[in-house]
Amino acid sequence: MVLTADADETVLAAARREGAGLPFGCRTGACATCTGRVLDGDLEHVRPPRGLKARHLEDGYALLCIAEPRSDCRIEVGAAVANDLVSNPWK
């Protein structure tokens, strides 16, 4: 799916405006429910992403509720991304 974000619009806001379903929770960058992995392009968090550790940021993860695109981006979302981010001890 291709989304177009307006200037100063988060990826989550653009997705919701265009009717695309993205999971979200807090909308403040704390819970990580909206985590995506940036495959290409440049996203900027507009506030500190408290729901991600430094190693997650280094690996390209972003919180889409507080991330605004600064270029064309390709972002992977979904259960596989969430599973890669947090190991489940109940498996």
Side-chain angles (χ1 to χ4, degrees), residues 6-55:
D6 295 333
D8 300 324
E9 185 178 40
T10 66
V11 175
L12 177 62
R16 290 180 52 85
R17 178 177 41 76
E18 297 200 18
L22 280 180
F24 64 93
C26 69
R27 294 187 189 188
T28 64
C31 72
T33 302
C34 63
T35 300
R37 184 177 12 231
V38 180
L39 302 175
D40 296 307
D42 185 30
L43 284 182
E44 181 178 314
H45 289 109
V46 295
R47 65 177 70 171
R50 294 178 294 152
L52 295 178
K53 297 178 179 175
R55 64 184 162 88

Side-chain angles (χ1 to χ4, degrees), residues 60-71:
Y61 292 98
L63 299 180
L64 304 180
C65 70
I66 59 167
E68 296 176 354
R70 298 299 184 231
S71 68

